[in-house]
Amino acid sequence: MVGIKDVAKAAGVSVSTVSNALNGRKNVGEETRNKILQLCEEMQYFPNAAGKNLKSGTSNTILFNFSDFDRSFYLKIIEGINDYANANNFDLMICTNKSCEKYMRSNLTSGCITLDVKMGNEVMNRAANENYPIVVLDRVLDNPHIKSIVVNNYDPMVEMLQGVVDRGYRRFSFLGGLESTDDNSERYQAFLDVMEKNSIPFQRRNYYSGDYREKSGYTAAKIMTLSGEVPEVIVCANDNMAIGAIRAFHESGLRVPQDVAVTGFDDCDLAEAMGLTTVCIPNYERGYMAAQSLVDIIRGNSDMETLKISASIKWRKSVWDKRPRNMVK
Amino acid sequence: MVGIKDVAKAAGVSVSTVSNALNGRKNVGEETRNKILQLCEEMQYFPNAAGKNLKSGTSNTILFNFSDFDRSFYLKIIEGINDYANANNFDLMICTNKSCEKYMRSNLTSGCITLDVKMGNEVMNRAANENYPIVVLDRVLDNPHIKSIVVNNYDPMVEMLQGVVDRGYRRFSFLGGLESTDDNSERYQAFLDVMEKNSIPFQRRNYYSGDYREKSGYTAAKIMTLSGEVPEVIVCANDNMAIGAIRAFHESGLRVPQDVAVTGFDDCDLAEAMGLTTVCIPNYERGYMAAQSLVDIIRGNSDMETLKISASIKWRKSVWDKRPRNMVK
DNA sequence: TTGTAGGCGTTATCAC
DNA sequence: GTGATAACGCCTACAA
């Protein structure tokens, strides 16, 4: 590995002159600078990030952390982050839960965006400080150096479910996601409130527990069909589980929506193709805004208020209108 | 930021003793060790990766580089890499093209896996050496420190297209991907060879240029419909473009496969849902094998032979059997 | 305009 | 068992 020292020796100057030349400082003679730059080229010198960061303590790099490879919208979020970062001269580094703390707590990065159920609150609270801001998605933390960006789950869920009720559905089941997540609580609360508002009785045994993954939706739906407890509509806490459920119903010979309707949440790629009625979360924009917030904070413009972003409803064929005059459609 | 030095001061010992204690060396007294460990806990000490790497020159970390957020199979590849890395005590760090060279050339990582059309060969050739191996997917490079893992495009493409011919199709169009890629050349060559073998004339004007993205497939299909040059079947160099084409055909009122059949390549998530006939690349396994190869090389077991992995065909409803007796189906 | 020296956080070597 | 001390590659006063 060729370092600044080797270049200095080759150029017959000191290391500081090389450093100055490379960093575009003006206290270097025209001739010297050219010679150094040319040598760097020839010798294939490349600055070592470790050494650089260690000294300067600054990196212009943002870290993104995730650990769930099942949900393709992560790519959209990364794309949003990447676009904002690139446009603002920040580098992007991505890691999974396992090595996240390592990169947060070593001036290799200037701040972190995290969207990872496996990431513990303690880890974030330990890492965040006035020099290291964190933006967390889908979770609200009470820490002056951590900004939250959450989706407004409640309102669109209420709106969608009221629409389902209005279309004539009465017998509901709910398929929940990870119960430790705020997302799941809010979506479930919205569900309960709509039930109550419309005086539709709901029994806890019609709540099925899932983990947001397709397989858990599949399993839940299998259980329903085997036990003969298939509802008129199954409301899922996310699309993946809804898709798993649809697959299970199809395998059991049940038609969606004729025999059972299904709703999701997220609007993932597959949702459109499968005709799933769902709530659309603007993921690219979420990533972009997260990066924007983080860079703002790094630059000292600290708005740490929780940001709530809104979502919209996509009506598709997994729910139809049960009311008589529309049956034909 | 609390460092080893602060802990040493608090414990009333020297920095070397703290370092020794933390790294589990046996030349530290039982009592001293306990006191140090407890202090680290209390003071929330966390080792700084930059300092560590700078000194040790080793990192047990593998780098993955990609830049295309349009293709969801990247998540599967990442998952494969992550699983192998975790199981073998390697950390995973992911970056996009922009900052890749920085992380390759600064002992923060021990090797790199790259799958990125934007990554230039020169960059890889500069970075790879006996201490820094690279595994590159979908590209073959002539460099003793770079191992290639490629998909056998040719054989499954020939097999699939022969099947299409056997089903009675004769008027073909080909929708190509980025022409600089080996993948595209091989897939196209397979196409040409099947045409020739079956004495089906193919004119170059029925080759449409795309860039692997959905939009380019959409555009190409729009052009076909508008110019009235819709073939019996359109063979696409990947799924994304095939999906774009299907969308365009549907918008123009054409049915798939009744009015026009479509084939893809990749077997992305959407392919199954949309019923696209395609070639299935085992992505999780690809990622896993790439990580395995890289770790092997890092550990000195250097098999640098190009690895060719095979793919399988998925017959779905975007191609049906045109021959009379099966028309009904 | 250029060079010297100290330090960023860590580990390794070698005295004690 | 423990502690100085010198590196690793780079940057930045400050001195020349």
Side-chain angles (χ1 to χ4, degrees):
Chain A
M1 163 175 291
V2 24
I4 213 172
K5 211 179 283 182
D6 306 293
V7 177
K9 198 176 295 170
V13 299
S14 76
V15 290
S16 32
T17 304
V18 177
S19 173
N20 286 329
L22 285 168
N23 291 65
R25 275 179 255 284
K26 57 264 254 95
N27 58 348
V28 180
E30 185 63 18
E31 239 182 299
T32 326
R33 154 169 285 123
N34 288 143
K35 190 208 267 178
I36 291 173
L37 260 33
Q38 199 194 328
L39 272 169
C40 285
E41 191 74 15
E42 283 172 21
M43 304 175 70
Q44 303 224 105
Y45 166 80
F46 199 90
N48 180 312
K52 204 163 186 161
N53 286 168
L54 196 51
K55 182 57 191 162
S56 65
T58 143
S59 61
N60 262 35
T61 300
I62 71 189
L63 179 66
F64 176 64
N65 155 243
F66 79 111
S67 295
D68 183 354
F69 310 103
D70 221 30
R71 312 176 74 183
S72 64
F73 67 73
Y74 281 99
L75 283 180
K76 289 278 155 257
I77 292 178
I78 296 176
E79 185 171 14
I81 297 174
N82 188 56
D83 283 356
Y84 187 84
N86 279 188
N88 288 272
N89 269 308
F90 268 74
D91 278 340
L92 172 61
M93 171 169 155
I94 303 167
C95 70
T96 54
N97 182 252
K98 185 179 169 243
S99 35
C100 190
E101 189 162 14
K102 171 170 121 183
Y103 296 123
M104 292 195 296
R105 306 185 63 171
S106 61
N107 33 25
L108 290 169
T109 60
S110 320
C112 175
I113 297 171
T114 171
L115 173 48
D116 191 337
V117 283
K118 293 194 201 134
M119 168 59 70
N121 288 348
E122 344 75 59
V123 178
M124 287 191 271
N125 281 321
R126 275 201 299 267
N129 60 51
E130 61 265 49
N131 298 310
Y132 198 85
I134 295 180
V135 169
V136 59
L137 291 142
D138 290 355
R139 199 187 305 195
V140 176
L141 262 70
D142 187 24
N143 182 312
H145 306 111
I146 302 181
K147 176 173 179 129
S148 298
I149 298 185
V150 296
V151 173
N152 179 345
N153 289 291
Y154 189 85
D155 293 336
M157 189 71 163
V158 163
E159 188 184 338
M160 178 174 74
L161 295 180
Q162 186 59 52
V164 173
V165 170
D166 293 345
R167 282 166 174 74
Y169 291 87
R170 286 299 174 274
R171 282 181 34 242
F172 287 75
S173 281
F174 189 89
L175 174 44
L178 287 174
E179 282 162 27
S180 58
T181 62
D182 292 343
D183 281 345
N184 189 61
S185 320
E186 290 178 27
R187 293 169 195 177
Y188 183 49
Q189 191 56 53
F191 171 79
L192 290 178
D193 290 353
V194 171
M195 293 301 101
E196 184 170 358
K197 185 166 173 222
N198 293 275
S199 309
I200 298 174
F202 178 73
Q203 292 170 15
R204 181 70 194 187
R205 71 183 171 81
N206 292 316
Y207 178 102
Y208 294 80
S209 287
D211 61 3
Y212 287 133
R213 316 197 99 201
E214 187 175 323
K215 183 135 200 241
S216 67
Y218 179 91
T219 307
K222 278 286 179 197
I223 292 172
M224 290 178 208
T225 54
L226 292 173
S227 64
E229 303 243 334
V230 179
E232 285 175 354
V233 53
I234 167 168
V235 175
C236 304
N238 82 344
D239 282 358
N240 280 356
M241 295 192 297
I243 288 162
I246 291 175
R247 292 222 160 107
F249 287 137
H250 283 167
E251 279 182 21
S252 308
L254 291 173
R255 295 160 306 164
V256 174
Q258 294 90 329
D259 301 317
V260 52
V262 177
T263 69
F265 205 108
D266 281 349
D267 196 29
C268 68
D269 284 352
L270 268 177
E272 185 178 359
M274 297 189 68
L276 178 65
T277 290
T278 191
V279 174
C280 172
I281 300 178
N283 285 305
Y284 175 88
E285 292 77 6
R286 255 199 320 164
Y288 194 91
M289 288 165 71
Q292 192 171 41
S293 296
L294 186 62
V295 169
D296 277 355
I297 300 168
I298 290 170
R299 292 190 173 144
N301 172 4
S302 296
D303 170 10
M304 304 304 288
E305 281 304 298
T306 292
L307 197 60
K308 205 148 193 163
I309 69 181
S310 52
S312 55
I313 295 152
K314 302 274 183 194
W315 287 102
R316 302 207 181 94
K317 66 176 165 38
S318 71
V319 172
W320 69 355
D321 204 319
K322 279 179 95 75
R323 289 164 300 184
R325 66 191 168 106
N326 290 316
M327 273 306 247
V328 259
K329 201 211 154 202
Chain B
M1 164 175 288
V2 23
I4 216 172
K5 212 178 285 185
D6 306 292
V7 178
K9 199 176 296 172
V13 299
S14 75
V15 288
S16 13
T17 304
V18 177
S19 174
N20 286 329
L22 285 169
N23 291 71
R25 276 178 256 281
K26 57 261 254 97
N27 58 348
V28 179
E30 186 62 18
E31 238 183 300
T32 326
R33 152 169 286 122
N34 289 143
K35 191 207 268 181
I36 291 173
L37 260 32
Q38 197 194 330
L39 270 170
C40 284
E41 191 74 13
E42 283 172 21
M43 302 174 72
Q44 305 224 101
Y45 166 80
F46 198 90
N48 181 313
K52 206 163 186 160
N53 284 169
L54 195 53
K55 182 59 191 160
S56 66
T58 145
S59 60
N60 263 37
T61 300
I62 71 188
L63 180 66
F64 176 63
N65 155 243
F66 79 112
S67 294
D68 182 354
F69 309 103
D70 221 31
R71 312 176 72 184
S72 63
F73 67 73
Y74 280 99
L75 284 181
K76 288 277 156 259
I77 292 179
I78 296 175
E79 186 172 13
I81 297 174
N82 188 56
D83 283 356
Y84 187 85
N86 279 187
N88 287 271
N89 268 308
F90 269 73
D91 278 340
L92 172 61
M93 171 168 155
I94 303 166
C95 70
T96 55
N97 183 252
K98 187 180 169 241
S99 35
C100 190
E101 189 162 14
K102 172 169 121 184
Y103 295 125
M104 292 195 296
R105 306 185 63 174
S106 60
N107 37 26
L108 288 169
T109 59
S110 320
C112 176
I113 298 171
T114 170
L115 174 48
D116 191 338
V117 283
K118 293 194 199 131
M119 168 59 71
N121 288 348
E122 344 75 59
V123 179
M124 287 191 270
N125 281 321
R126 275 201 298 268
N129 60 53
E130 62 266 50
N131 298 309
Y132 198 86
I134 295 180
V135 169
V136 59
L137 282 82
D138 290 356
R139 199 185 307 193
V140 177
L141 262 71
D142 186 24
N143 181 312
H145 306 111
I146 302 181
K147 176 175 180 128
S148 298
I149 298 186
V150 296
V151 174
N152 179 345
N153 289 290
Y154 189 85
D155 293 336
M157 190 70 163
V158 164
E159 187 184 338
M160 178 175 73
L161 295 180
Q162 186 59 52
V164 173
V165 171
D166 293 344
R167 282 166 175 72
Y169 290 86
R170 286 298 174 275
R171 282 181 35 243
F172 286 76
S173 281
F174 189 89
L175 174 44
L178 288 175
E179 283 162 26
S180 58
T181 63
D182 293 342
D183 281 344
N184 189 60
S185 320
E186 291 177 27
R187 293 170 196 177
Y188 184 47
Q189 191 57 53
F191 171 78
L192 290 178
D193 290 354
V194 171
M195 292 301 102
E196 186 171 354
K197 183 164 175 225
N198 293 276
S199 308
I200 298 175
F202 178 74
Q203 292 171 14
R204 180 73 193 186
R205 71 183 171 81
N206 292 317
Y207 178 102
Y208 293 80
S209 288
D211 61 3
Y212 287 133
R213 316 197 99 200
E214 187 176 323
K215 185 140 199 238
S216 67
Y218 179 91
T219 307
K222 277 287 178 194
I223 292 171
M224 291 177 206
T225 54
L226 292 174
S227 64
E229 303 242 334
V230 178
E232 285 175 355
V233 52
I234 167 167
V235 176
C236 304
N238 82 343
D239 282 359
N240 280 357
M241 296 192 297
I243 288 162
I246 291 175
R247 292 222 161 108
F249 288 138
H250 283 167
E251 279 183 22
S252 308
L254 291 173
R255 294 160 306 164
V256 175
Q258 296 90 329
D259 301 316
V260 51
V262 177
T263 69
F265 205 107
D266 281 349
D267 196 29
C268 70
D269 284 351
L270 268 177
E272 186 179 358
M274 297 187 68
L276 179 65
T277 290
T278 191
V279 174
C280 173
I281 300 178
N283 285 305
Y284 174 87
E285 291 78 5
R286 256 200 319 164
Y288 194 90
M289 288 166 70
Q292 193 171 39
S293 296
L294 186 63
V295 169
D296 277 354
I297 301 169
I298 291 170
R299 290 190 174 144
N301 172 5
S302 296
D303 171 10
M304 304 304 288
E305 281 304 298
T306 292
L307 197 60
K308 206 148 192 162
I309 68 179
S310 52
S312 55
I313 295 151
K314 302 274 183 194
W315 288 102
R316 301 207 182 94
K317 67 176 166 35
S318 71
V319 173
W320 67 357
D321 204 320
K322 280 179 94 74
R323 289 164 301 182
R325 66 192 168 103
N326 291 315
M327 276 304 248
V328 259
K329 199 209 160 209

PDB file of all heavy atoms in Angstrom, chain B residues 103-125:
ATOM      1  N   TYR B 103     -13.306   2.571   0.325  1.00  0.00           N
ATOM      2  CA  TYR B 103     -13.343   1.497   1.312  1.00  0.00           C
ATOM      3  C   TYR B 103     -12.503   0.288   0.904  1.00  0.00           C
ATOM      4  O   TYR B 103     -12.111  -0.513   1.745  1.00  0.00           O
ATOM      5  CB  TYR B 103     -14.787   1.080   1.574  1.00  0.00           C
ATOM      6  CG  TYR B 103     -15.589   2.181   2.223  1.00  0.00           C
ATOM      7  CD1 TYR B 103     -16.773   2.638   1.652  1.00  0.00           C
ATOM      8  CD2 TYR B 103     -15.140   2.800   3.391  1.00  0.00           C
ATOM      9  CE1 TYR B 103     -17.498   3.665   2.233  1.00  0.00           C
ATOM     10  CE2 TYR B 103     -15.860   3.837   3.971  1.00  0.00           C
ATOM     11  CZ  TYR B 103     -17.035   4.259   3.385  1.00  0.00           C
ATOM     12  OH  TYR B 103     -17.745   5.278   3.966  1.00  0.00           O
ATOM     13  N   MET B 104     -12.243   0.181  -0.387  1.00  0.00           N
ATOM     14  CA  MET B 104     -11.397  -0.927  -0.815  1.00  0.00           C
ATOM     15  C   MET B 104      -9.945  -0.641  -0.458  1.00  0.00           C
ATOM     16  O   MET B 104      -9.198  -1.532  -0.086  1.00  0.00           O
ATOM     17  CB  MET B 104     -11.517  -1.132  -2.339  1.00  0.00           C
ATOM     18  CG  MET B 104     -12.865  -1.641  -2.794  1.00  0.00           C
ATOM     19  SD  MET B 104     -12.871  -2.282  -4.503  1.00  0.00           S
ATOM     20  CE  MET B 104     -12.497  -0.844  -5.451  1.00  0.00           C
ATOM     21  N   ARG B 105      -9.580   0.619  -0.590  1.00  0.00           N
ATOM     22  CA  ARG B 105      -8.175   0.948  -0.442  1.00  0.00           C
ATOM     23  C   ARG B 105      -7.853   1.613   0.881  1.00  0.00           C
ATOM     24  O   ARG B 105      -7.298   2.698   0.948  1.00  0.00           O
ATOM     25  CB  ARG B 105      -7.762   1.823  -1.621  1.00  0.00           C
ATOM     26  CG  ARG B 105      -8.120   1.129  -2.924  1.00  0.00           C
ATOM     27  CD  ARG B 105      -7.647   1.876  -4.097  1.00  0.00           C
ATOM     28  NE  ARG B 105      -6.188   1.979  -4.107  1.00  0.00           N
ATOM     29  CZ  ARG B 105      -5.501   2.499  -5.105  1.00  0.00           C
ATOM     30  NH1 ARG B 105      -6.123   2.966  -6.156  1.00  0.00           N
ATOM     31  NH2 ARG B 105      -4.198   2.561  -5.046  1.00  0.00           N
ATOM     32  N   SER B 106      -8.200   0.998   1.941  1.00  0.00           N
ATOM     33  CA  SER B 106      -7.918   1.537   3.266  1.00  0.00           C
ATOM     34  C   SER B 106      -8.288   0.412   4.188  1.00  0.00           C
ATOM     35  O   SER B 106      -9.433   0.209   4.445  1.00  0.00           O
ATOM     36  CB  SER B 106      -8.831   2.717   3.571  1.00  0.00           C
ATOM     37  OG  SER B 106     -10.178   2.298   3.524  1.00  0.00           O
ATOM     38  N   ASN B 107      -7.354  -0.283   4.711  1.00  0.00           N
ATOM     39  CA  ASN B 107      -7.620  -1.570   5.356  1.00  0.00           C
ATOM     40  C   ASN B 107      -8.851  -1.676   6.263  1.00  0.00           C
ATOM     41  O   ASN B 107      -8.841  -2.375   7.256  1.00  0.00           O
ATOM     42  CB  ASN B 107      -6.368  -2.020   6.095  1.00  0.00           C
ATOM     43  CG  ASN B 107      -5.692  -0.805   6.704  1.00  0.00           C
ATOM     44  OD1 ASN B 107      -6.354   0.193   6.975  1.00  0.00           O
ATOM     45  ND2 ASN B 107      -4.395  -0.879   6.923  1.00  0.00           N
ATOM     46  N   LEU B 108      -9.926  -0.985   5.875  1.00  0.00           N
ATOM     47  CA  LEU B 108     -11.170  -1.137   6.636  1.00  0.00           C
ATOM     48  C   LEU B 108     -11.856  -2.440   6.259  1.00  0.00           C
ATOM     49  O   LEU B 108     -12.680  -2.957   7.008  1.00  0.00           O
ATOM     50  CB  LEU B 108     -12.112   0.028   6.352  1.00  0.00           C
ATOM     51  CG  LEU B 108     -11.704   1.368   6.955  1.00  0.00           C
ATOM     52  CD1 LEU B 108     -12.558   2.481   6.392  1.00  0.00           C
ATOM     53  CD2 LEU B 108     -11.852   1.305   8.470  1.00  0.00           C
ATOM     54  N   THR B 109     -11.550  -2.931   5.070  1.00  0.00           N
ATOM     55  CA  THR B 109     -12.169  -4.173   4.626  1.00  0.00           C
ATOM     56  C   THR B 109     -11.084  -5.123   4.121  1.00  0.00           C
ATOM     57  O   THR B 109     -10.013  -4.688   3.706  1.00  0.00           O
ATOM     58  CB  THR B 109     -13.189  -3.925   3.497  1.00  0.00           C
ATOM     59  OG1 THR B 109     -12.543  -3.306   2.384  1.00  0.00           O
ATOM     60  CG2 THR B 109     -14.302  -3.008   3.967  1.00  0.00           C
ATOM     61  N   SER B 110     -11.382  -6.400   4.166  1.00  0.00           N
ATOM     62  CA  SER B 110     -10.369  -7.401   3.793  1.00  0.00           C
ATOM     63  C   SER B 110     -10.543  -7.908   2.370  1.00  0.00           C
ATOM     64  O   SER B 110      -9.726  -8.702   1.890  1.00  0.00           O
ATOM     65  CB  SER B 110     -10.456  -8.605   4.729  1.00  0.00           C
ATOM     66  OG  SER B 110     -10.685  -8.208   6.048  1.00  0.00           O
ATOM     67  N   GLY B 111     -11.629  -7.508   1.736  1.00  0.00           N
ATOM     68  CA  GLY B 111     -11.896  -7.976   0.391  1.00  0.00           C
ATOM     69  C   GLY B 111     -13.246  -7.433  -0.044  1.00  0.00           C
ATOM     70  O   GLY B 111     -14.004  -6.919   0.782  1.00  0.00           O
ATOM     71  N   CYS B 112     -13.548  -7.546  -1.318  1.00  0.00           N
ATOM     72  CA  CYS B 112     -14.761  -6.927  -1.840  1.00  0.00           C
ATOM     73  C   CYS B 112     -15.502  -7.835  -2.802  1.00  0.00           C
ATOM     74  O   CYS B 112     -14.890  -8.583  -3.568  1.00  0.00           O
ATOM     75  CB  CYS B 112     -14.366  -5.625  -2.540  1.00  0.00           C
ATOM     76  SG  CYS B 112     -15.714  -4.762  -3.365  1.00  0.00           S
ATOM     77  N   ILE B 113     -16.838  -7.768  -2.723  1.00  0.00           N
ATOM     78  CA  ILE B 113     -17.684  -8.435  -3.712  1.00  0.00           C
ATOM     79  C   ILE B 113     -18.387  -7.322  -4.462  1.00  0.00           C
ATOM     80  O   ILE B 113     -18.964  -6.430  -3.837  1.00  0.00           O
ATOM     81  CB  ILE B 113     -18.741  -9.325  -3.038  1.00  0.00           C
ATOM     82  CG1 ILE B 113     -18.072 -10.429  -2.236  1.00  0.00           C
ATOM     83  CG2 ILE B 113     -19.682  -9.919  -4.085  1.00  0.00           C
ATOM     84  CD1 ILE B 113     -19.048 -11.220  -1.361  1.00  0.00           C
ATOM     85  N   THR B 114     -18.325  -7.343  -5.758  1.00  0.00           N
ATOM     86  CA  THR B 114     -18.974  -6.250  -6.469  1.00  0.00           C
ATOM     87  C   THR B 114     -19.915  -6.769  -7.552  1.00  0.00           C
ATOM     88  O   THR B 114     -19.648  -7.776  -8.210  1.00  0.00           O
ATOM     89  CB  THR B 114     -17.941  -5.240  -7.028  1.00  0.00           C
ATOM     90  OG1 THR B 114     -18.594  -4.331  -7.894  1.00  0.00           O
ATOM     91  CG2 THR B 114     -16.850  -5.934  -7.801  1.00  0.00           C
ATOM     92  N   LEU B 115     -21.020  -6.077  -7.708  1.00  0.00           N
ATOM     93  CA  LEU B 115     -22.026  -6.396  -8.721  1.00  0.00           C
ATOM     94  C   LEU B 115     -22.619  -5.063  -9.119  1.00  0.00           C
ATOM     95  O   LEU B 115     -23.617  -4.617  -8.569  1.00  0.00           O
ATOM     96  CB  LEU B 115     -23.110  -7.312  -8.128  1.00  0.00           C
ATOM     97  CG  LEU B 115     -24.310  -7.618  -9.035  1.00  0.00           C
ATOM     98  CD1 LEU B 115     -23.880  -8.027 -10.411  1.00  0.00           C
ATOM     99  CD2 LEU B 115     -25.183  -8.685  -8.422  1.00  0.00           C
ATOM    100  N   ASP B 116     -21.962  -4.401 -10.043  1.00  0.00           N
ATOM    101  CA  ASP B 116     -22.297  -3.017 -10.294  1.00  0.00           C
ATOM    102  C   ASP B 116     -21.822  -2.644 -11.698  1.00  0.00           C
ATOM    103  O   ASP B 116     -20.628  -2.599 -11.954  1.00  0.00           O
ATOM    104  CB  ASP B 116     -21.557  -2.167  -9.241  1.00  0.00           C
ATOM    105  CG  ASP B 116     -22.030  -0.724  -9.241  1.00  0.00           C
ATOM    106  OD1 ASP B 116     -22.575  -0.291 -10.263  1.00  0.00           O
ATOM    107  OD2 ASP B 116     -21.850  -0.054  -8.221  1.00  0.00           O
ATOM    108  N   VAL B 117     -22.755  -2.387 -12.589  1.00  0.00           N
ATOM    109  CA  VAL B 117     -22.331  -2.019 -13.941  1.00  0.00           C
ATOM    110  C   VAL B 117     -21.533  -0.725 -13.957  1.00  0.00           C
ATOM    111  O   VAL B 117     -20.719  -0.503 -14.836  1.00  0.00           O
ATOM    112  CB  VAL B 117     -23.521  -1.862 -14.929  1.00  0.00           C
ATOM    113  CG1 VAL B 117     -24.023  -3.218 -15.354  1.00  0.00           C
ATOM    114  CG2 VAL B 117     -24.631  -1.037 -14.318  1.00  0.00           C
ATOM    115  N   LYS B 118     -21.758   0.108 -12.941  1.00  0.00           N
ATOM    116  CA  LYS B 118     -21.039   1.390 -12.919  1.00  0.00           C
ATOM    117  C   LYS B 118     -19.599   1.246 -12.435  1.00  0.00           C
ATOM    118  O   LYS B 118     -18.808   2.181 -12.530  1.00  0.00           O
ATOM    119  CB  LYS B 118     -21.766   2.371 -11.999  1.00  0.00           C
ATOM    120  CG  LYS B 118     -23.130   2.792 -12.523  1.00  0.00           C
ATOM    121  CD  LYS B 118     -23.634   4.013 -11.759  1.00  0.00           C
ATOM    122  CE  LYS B 118     -25.139   4.184 -11.906  1.00  0.00           C
ATOM    123  NZ  LYS B 118     -25.799   4.404 -10.618  1.00  0.00           N
ATOM    124  N   MET B 119     -19.282   0.087 -11.881  1.00  0.00           N
ATOM    125  CA  MET B 119     -17.917  -0.106 -11.375  1.00  0.00           C
ATOM    126  C   MET B 119     -16.956  -0.387 -12.532  1.00  0.00           C
ATOM    127  O   MET B 119     -17.132  -1.351 -13.269  1.00  0.00           O
ATOM    128  CB  MET B 119     -17.939  -1.288 -10.400  1.00  0.00           C
ATOM    129  CG  MET B 119     -16.588  -1.819  -9.977  1.00  0.00           C
ATOM    130  SD  MET B 119     -15.552  -0.606  -9.188  1.00  0.00           S
ATOM    131  CE  MET B 119     -16.432  -0.433  -7.636  1.00  0.00           C
ATOM    132  N   GLY B 120     -15.973   0.470 -12.677  1.00  0.00           N
ATOM    133  CA  GLY B 120     -15.034   0.304 -13.795  1.00  0.00           C
ATOM    134  C   GLY B 120     -14.005  -0.782 -13.541  1.00  0.00           C
ATOM    135  O   GLY B 120     -13.593  -0.993 -12.398  1.00  0.00           O
ATOM    136  N   ASN B 121     -13.599  -1.456 -14.575  1.00  0.00           N
ATOM    137  CA  ASN B 121     -12.574  -2.488 -14.443  1.00  0.00           C
ATOM    138  C   ASN B 121     -11.272  -1.916 -13.870  1.00  0.00           C
ATOM    139  O   ASN B 121     -10.595  -2.573 -13.082  1.00  0.00           O
ATOM    140  CB  ASN B 121     -12.268  -3.117 -15.808  1.00  0.00           C
ATOM    141  CG  ASN B 121     -13.399  -3.996 -16.293  1.00  0.00           C
ATOM    142  OD1 ASN B 121     -14.310  -4.311 -15.545  1.00  0.00           O
ATOM    143  ND2 ASN B 121     -13.339  -4.381 -17.555  1.00  0.00           N
ATOM    144  N   GLU B 122     -10.917  -0.708 -14.278  1.00  0.00           N
ATOM    145  CA  GLU B 122      -9.651  -0.100 -13.818  1.00  0.00           C
ATOM    146  C   GLU B 122      -9.645   0.019 -12.296  1.00  0.00           C
ATOM    147  O   GLU B 122      -8.633  -0.249 -11.639  1.00  0.00           O
ATOM    148  CB  GLU B 122      -9.435   1.303 -14.375  1.00  0.00           C
ATOM    149  CG  GLU B 122     -10.285   1.701 -15.559  1.00  0.00           C
ATOM    150  CD  GLU B 122     -11.719   2.011 -15.151  1.00  0.00           C
ATOM    151  OE1 GLU B 122     -11.950   2.909 -14.326  1.00  0.00           O
ATOM    152  OE2 GLU B 122     -12.623   1.314 -15.682  1.00  0.00           O
ATOM    153  N   VAL B 123     -10.788   0.428 -11.758  1.00  0.00           N
ATOM    154  CA  VAL B 123     -10.862   0.590 -10.309  1.00  0.00           C
ATOM    155  C   VAL B 123     -10.557  -0.727  -9.609  1.00  0.00           C
ATOM    156  O   VAL B 123      -9.775  -0.786  -8.656  1.00  0.00           O
ATOM    157  CB  VAL B 123     -12.266   1.082  -9.882  1.00  0.00           C
ATOM    158  CG1 VAL B 123     -12.350   1.219  -8.379  1.00  0.00           C
ATOM    159  CG2 VAL B 123     -12.591   2.405 -10.562  1.00  0.00           C
ATOM    160  N   MET B 124     -11.145  -1.791 -10.134  1.00  0.00           N
ATOM    161  CA  MET B 124     -10.914  -3.100  -9.513  1.00  0.00           C
ATOM    162  C   MET B 124      -9.471  -3.538  -9.692  1.00  0.00           C
ATOM    163  O   MET B 124      -8.842  -4.033  -8.765  1.00  0.00           O
ATOM    164  CB  MET B 124     -11.863  -4.129 -10.117  1.00  0.00           C
ATOM    165  CG  MET B 124     -13.285  -3.941  -9.642  1.00  0.00           C
ATOM    166  SD  MET B 124     -14.331  -5.326 -10.103  1.00  0.00           S
ATOM    167  CE  MET B 124     -14.896  -4.784 -11.683  1.00  0.00           C
ATOM    168  N   ASN B 125      -8.960  -3.335 -10.872  1.00  0.00           N
ATOM    169  CA  ASN B 125      -7.573  -3.732 -11.114  1.00  0.00           C
ATOM    170  C   ASN B 125      -6.602  -2.964 -10.226  1.00  0.00           C
ATOM    171  O   ASN B 125      -5.604  -3.512  -9.774  1.00  0.00           O
ATOM    172  CB  ASN B 125      -7.220  -3.537 -12.586  1.00  0.00           C
ATOM    173  CG  ASN B 125      -7.763  -4.661 -13.455  1.00  0.00           C
ATOM    174  OD1 ASN B 125      -7.746  -5.818 -13.048  1.00  0.00           O
ATOM    175  ND2 ASN B 125      -8.268  -4.316 -14.624  1.00  0.00           N
TER     176      ASN B 125
END
